[in-house]
Amino acid sequence: MIDREQVVHVARLARLELSEEEIERMQSELSGILEHVDRIQSLDLSEVEPTSHVVALENVMRPDEPRPSLPRERALEPAPDPYEGAFRVPSPNA
Amino acid sequence: MSIRELIELSAAEALRRITAGEISAAELFDAYAAVPDELNAYLWRAEPGAADGNGAGAGAEGPLAGLPLAVKDIFCTEGIATTAGSRILEGYVPPYTATSVQRVTDAGARILGKTNMDEFAMGSSNENSAFGPVLNPWDTSRVPGGSSGGSAAAVAAGLAPWALGTDTGGSIRQPAALCGIVGLKPTYGAISRYGMIAFASSLDQCGPLTRTVTDAALLLRELQGRDERDSTSVGIEGGVELPSREDLRGLRFGVPRELGPDAEGIEAGVREVFERTLRRIEELGGEVDECELPHSRHGISAYYVIAPAEASANLARYDGVRYGMRDPDARDLTGMYERTRGRGFGAEVKRRIMLGTYALSSGYYDAYYGQAQRVRTKIAEDFRAAFESFDFLVTPTAPTVAFELGSKTDDPLAMYMNDYCTVPVSLAGVPAISLPGGLAQPDGGGPELPVGVQVIAPAFTESKLLDAAYALEQAIGFDARPPGFGGGEA
């Protein structure tokens, strides 16, 4: 049902590196899960509104006032490569 | 008092004795901190004597008077490493504390440790932790359930009097059932999720794992409430009352045909304990009748689209940029993302990210995610309709007692079926409690293990739910302790 090409495509969308073995296993596992999940496809629910959240809440508002937030140094502390007050990432041209 | 006597106390009883000056909070904390963790229940543990320096506020004051508490490692705790059971967050020390943890520590609770869990709360056995599985204190060849397995095992084994957990599709209730303790999943929106690492945001909820119903009420009372940092939190109007009800007269209990004792995959021993519990309800004056939740049989299908879809978006943040691990060998940005995520995530998390990304991808969105959300509407409507005729619904919490380590790891779908009775409740967003109904042998024989009974109530009626659960708890009189309690020495 799910072929190799689809697994590779979805893994790229998800920014997930998979080994050859993982790609193989993912094909059969995802197919098995989707086969079960596909049972809901046969239900006629075209008139039913989808539920994204069960609590009926809309537009929770608060005054837009500046307040103290996490200091920059604290926010940068857990970063793998903080540099001059920013998050540094690898760049092939750097 | 001896260590054993101290750790035998329920949280409410310990609180009473601390308040009366019979024991000190520090003495209780140290007693728990001294019990050896032979179950891999903790990922981080406070040292004895650390009650005042463990990241919590100063002084053992407030309504929780210094009571020690275990916290699932999914809650951010300032200054204490938080991994969510994942390699990708190894070494991460959050710069802030989750609101739920802050509330209970402000109320006087002291953090005993951070408990092991399935990676990012994805799992029903705790075998998906990057730091090794938790063992069930009733039988260490078996799983404690998951994903809050460390919290459940710690409370059951006398490593903590109570614990915080999270429940997305059953992650508090199922491990509570498999470890023989009480687990409450409050109504969606009852408790702030700020600082609670997100898995599936339309389902995730924080809740207590305790040894008694009263303890669950005690902890929920401090946890619940609106938080402006989580706009989905609304709190429980009127707060939470401590339970005191002694009978169930005038209350109607529905047993959903689809999730009841005759549902597919329910073990004989689980059925027996469940049916005995129904008789107890009747003896207490409650009415028991069959009811229907016709769409709940599609709960697992809908859940395993919705939860992975939301997870795939929530877990996009683990990209090696702002926190956690980074693969050091990548030469460009995309390669860094892909390698970091490929190495940092475990098998189940990858599976769910793939499943969710697929379900949300162009051309499949409406067929999978849209359809699953429509099924969710029908499931929620079924619950609303059932609550027009019944005050509560009752089901077994899990189809089986604790199963053996490794027995379901090669079959994701068999693992997902553990959540058969808990997932529809999560999709409907209503509260449910699992309490120990008794002990039963697994199919195929073996030692007797705990069986959980799930009581489900309408949204935001936690006080009534706890009251009914309390009456039932007193009638059941479950007081068995696992052989591993307190490190195994009785």
Side-chain angles (χ1 to χ4, degrees), chain A residues 1-2 6-19 22 25-26 29-30 32-55 57 60-63 67 70 74-82 87-93, chain B residues 78 92-95 188-189 201-202 226 228 231-232 234 298 300-302 304-305 320-324 326 330-334 336-339 341-343 345 347 350-351 353-355 357-358 361 364 367-368 370-378 412-413 416-417 427-429 460:
Chain A
M1 198 164 78
I2 299 280
Q6 280 173 299
V7 170
V8 171
H9 172 66
V10 173
R12 191 173 302 127
L13 292 177
R15 296 283 185 262
L16 202 55
E17 186 179 84
L18 297 179
S19 66
E22 285 176 315
R25 207 171 51 226
M26 211 62 92
E29 284 174 354
L30 293 184
I33 297 164
L34 288 171
E35 200 179 292
H36 185 90
V37 161
D38 272 336
R39 292 181 194 180
I40 57 173
Q41 305 298 343
S42 60
L43 301 171
D44 179 13
L45 302 175
S46 49
E47 306 295 309
V48 177
E49 282 293 313
T51 295
S52 61
H53 254 77
V54 279
V55 177
L57 274 180
V60 179
M61 308 294 261
R62 62 165 173 78
R67 280 180 293 184
L70 206 59
R74 290 287 284 138
L76 283 165
E77 256 170 41
D81 189 13
F87 300 104
R88 183 159 61 181
V89 295
S91 161
N93 303 318
Chain B
E78 186 178 352
Y92 171 61
V93 179
Y188 183 83
S201 301
S202 78
R226 211 185 87 76
E228 65 170 13
S231 60
T232 63
V234 290
H298 299 296
I300 290 285
S301 294
Y304 279 96
V305 172
V321 175
R322 288 157 298 164
Y323 29 67
R326 170 186 293 187
R331 309 277 292 275
D332 60 57
L333 190 57
T334 307
M336 192 277 282
Y337 294 153
E338 292 178 341
R339 291 168 66 98
R341 291 163 62 79
R343 280 159 181 71
F345 291 134
K350 288 182 189 173
R351 199 146 48 222
I353 289 175
M354 290 290 290
L355 196 56
T357 305
Y358 177 81
S361 64
Y364 296 100
Y368 284 107
Q371 184 74 351
Q373 288 189 315
R374 284 186 279 270
V375 172
R376 184 173 188 180
T377 303
K378 298 303 283 183
L413 209 51
Y416 298 170
M417 287 301 164
L427 290 167
F460 300 112

Side-chain angles (χ1 to χ4, degrees), chain B residues 214-461:
Chain B
T214 300
D215 287 359
L218 205 53
L219 205 47
L220 179 66
R221 193 163 68 170
E222 303 304 331
L223 287 167
Q224 70 83 25
R226 211 185 87 76
D227 175 14
E228 65 170 13
R229 287 179 294 190
D230 173 5
S231 60
T232 63
S233 68
V234 290
I236 300 169
E237 213 185 309
V240 177
E241 302 282 332
L242 293 190
S244 59
R245 198 179 171 118
E246 283 166 7
D247 64 67
L248 298 173
R249 262 188 279 274
L251 297 174
R252 297 153 304 167
F253 290 77
V255 181
R257 208 183 311 250
E258 299 77 9
L259 308 177
D262 300 321
E264 204 184 310
I266 306 277
E267 277 187 340
V270 171
R271 186 179 307 128
E272 201 185 304
V273 169
F274 181 72
E275 283 170 348
R276 199 193 310 149
T277 308
L278 295 182
R279 289 198 295 276
R280 289 262 185 282
I281 292 173
E282 289 174 330
E283 285 161 20
L284 289 167
E287 283 172 47
V288 177
D289 237 317
E290 201 173 55
C291 73
E292 284 185 348
L293 295 172
H295 295 87
S296 61
R297 66 168 64 92
H298 299 296
I300 290 285
S301 294
Y303 179 83
Y304 279 96
V305 172
I306 292 170
E310 295 181 8
S312 71
N314 273 327
L315 271 61
R317 73 191 65 178
Y318 305 103
D319 56 8
V321 175
R322 288 157 298 164
Y323 29 67
M325 66 162 271
R326 170 186 293 187
D327 185 84
D329 300 327
R331 309 277 292 275
D332 60 57
L333 190 57
T334 307
M336 192 277 282
Y337 294 153
E338 292 178 341
R339 291 168 66 98
T340 298
R341 291 163 62 79
R343 280 159 181 71
F345 291 134
E348 180 63 22
V349 171
K350 288 182 189 173
R351 199 146 48 222
R352 298 214 196 172
I353 289 175
M354 290 290 290
L355 196 56
T357 305
Y358 177 81
L360 292 177
S361 64
S362 173
Y364 296 100
Y365 180 92
D366 198 61
Y368 284 107
Y369 194 59
Q371 184 74 351
Q373 288 189 315
R374 284 186 279 270
V375 172
R376 184 173 188 180
T377 303
K378 298 303 283 183
I379 289 174
E381 283 174 3
D382 286 352
F383 274 92
R384 271 195 293 276
F387 285 130
E388 279 171 21
S389 313
F390 295 97
D391 297 288
F392 304 102
L393 305 179
V394 265
T395 76
T397 306
T400 69
V401 294
F403 46 93
E404 297 205 352
L405 285 156
S407 62
K408 294 183 184 181
T409 38
D410 292 333
D411 187 351
L413 209 51
M415 190 69 90
Y416 298 170
M417 287 301 164
N418 269 291
D419 306 330
Y420 188 78
C421 296
T422 50
V423 149
V425 180
S426 301
L427 290 167
V430 297
I433 192 166
S434 177
L435 62 158
L439 299 174
Q441 280 191 318
D443 277 0
E448 288 201 308
L449 297 162
V451 173
V453 176
Q454 176 176 238
V455 186
I456 311 162
F460 300 112
T461 62

